[in-house]
Amino acid sequence: MKAFKYIFWILYRVWFYVLVALPILLLFPILLISISKESWYPFFFKLARFWAKFILIGMGFTYSIKREQTPIKGKSYMFIANHTSMADIMLMLATVKNPFVFVGKAELAKIPLFGFFYKRTCILVDRSSEKSRKAVFLRAQRRLKSGLSICIFPEGGVPDEAVVLDSFKDGAFRLAINHQIPIVPITFADNKKRFSFTFFSGSPGRMRAYIHKFIKTEGLTIQDTKPLNIQARTVILNKLQAYNK
């Protein structure tokens, strides 16, 4: 029985990468055209949402979304969520309709095929480089001015399996304050159980996303960064604890 589980987990991981690659290969010419102009990003985003839903359904995940508040079309936001799974990117794309740009780890650009589009559409950050972190603000500013939103997983990495929610880095909150855009906290309740970064784990099943009431930043200054950080983290942590009772 145990041997069967390990075989299933190996095949399940391989299947995930097949699902990641297949739509990219099939849609490669269209994807290439969609990233050739920055103004065409909303079209690329629609294709990315299709890609994400294709993977979630193909993996046997049934996702549901509950909303305390719904983002307004054409308005910019700072979307944040807890980060525990390889499927977090897909669930975020499936959950949010407003076109947004991920701020993510530069090393993901090394992934074959996926990395080609990742580095051309996302804002990459090398967290060990202060210069890279500063460059994020400039690139995010340009994207926000074009009417897009930003998405950051503020834990800054994937926490240990035993950690429910790691501390948040301040970058997302400084950006939100600088541009006076609302913060949208989102809780992913089941992603760690469904498809964590631990290789021998995971199974089909439900994935719940919860969009919390937005946190306003109008009138806040850079001195409010840490209290804002703590407020947003508390919202997500409380929901995670409620789901896990």
Side-chain angles (χ1 to χ4, degrees):
M1 188 66 179
K2 197 170 184 181
F4 174 79
K5 281 185 176 181
Y6 281 107
I7 292 169
F8 168 78
W9 282 326
I10 292 169
L11 294 175
Y12 200 48
R13 294 278 157 169
V14 171
W15 179 238
F16 173 78
Y17 289 110
V18 170
L19 291 173
V20 167
L22 190 59
I24 298 176
L25 287 170
L26 293 174
L27 298 172
F28 193 85
I30 300 172
L31 289 167
L32 208 56
I33 293 168
S34 71
I35 65 170
S36 60
K37 282 189 179 181
E38 205 167 276
S39 60
W40 292 350
Y41 183 83
F43 176 63
F44 171 83
F45 185 79
K46 287 182 180 180
L47 295 175
R49 294 193 76 224
F50 166 79
W51 169 81
K53 292 175 182 180
F54 177 84
I55 295 168
L56 293 174
I57 293 168
M59 292 295 288
F61 301 141
T62 56
Y63 62 91
S64 62
I65 305 162
K66 290 189 177 181
R67 299 175 176 86
E68 281 189 60
Q69 201 170 342
T70 302
I72 298 169
K73 185 178 180 181
K75 189 172 180 179
S76 294
Y77 299 90
M78 174 63 70
F79 297 103
I80 64 168
N82 54 310
H83 191 27
T84 58
S85 169
M86 297 173 73
D88 290 342
I89 289 174
M90 294 81 187
L91 188 56
M92 181 65 80
L93 284 165
T95 299
V96 177
K97 294 180 180 180
N98 292 49
F100 64 78
V101 176
F102 279 110
V103 173
K105 295 180 289 186
E107 51 263 39
L108 292 180
K110 298 176 183 177
I111 299 174
L113 202 59
F114 169 82
F116 177 84
F117 291 99
Y118 176 79
K119 67 184 177 183
R120 287 165 175 80
T121 57
C122 299
I123 299 172
L124 308 189
V125 57
D126 177 359
R127 297 188 188 279
S128 64
S129 167
E130 186 178 350
K131 184 179 178 181
S132 176
R133 293 196 301 270
K134 287 181 179 178
V136 166
F137 281 83
L138 296 175
R139 293 192 64 193
Q141 184 175 18
R142 192 175 77 247
R143 295 292 194 156
L144 287 166
K145 283 183 177 178
S146 68
L148 298 174
S149 295
I150 300 293
C151 176
I152 297 178
F153 296 113
E155 287 168 281
V158 181
D160 185 87
E161 286 283 313
V163 177
V164 176
L165 186 67
D166 210 345
S167 58
F168 284 179
K169 303 291 188 291
D170 286 336
F173 308 99
R174 286 200 302 268
L175 268 171
I177 290 172
N178 284 343
H179 296 283
Q180 298 287 280
I181 57 173
I183 292 170
V184 183
I186 302 175
T187 299
F188 293 152
D190 312 290
N191 291 18
K192 183 187 287 188
K193 181 181 179 182
R194 293 277 74 83
F195 204 71
S196 77
F197 284 85
T198 300
F199 189 86
F200 292 110
S201 66
S203 66
R206 68 176 179 177
M207 281 184 165
R208 293 167 292 179
Y210 193 97
I211 301 179
H212 297 270
K213 189 174 180 180
F214 307 162
I215 302 174
K216 296 179 180 179
T217 60
E218 288 94 337
L220 298 185
T221 66
I222 205 70
Q223 282 72 36
D224 298 302
T225 299
K226 187 56 70 177
L228 190 63
N229 176 329
I230 294 169
Q231 181 185 357
R233 183 180 179 276
T234 300
V235 166
I236 293 176
L237 180 60
N238 287 345
K239 197 64 182 178
L240 281 172
Q241 291 172 337
Y243 273 127
N244 292 328
K245 280 183 179 178

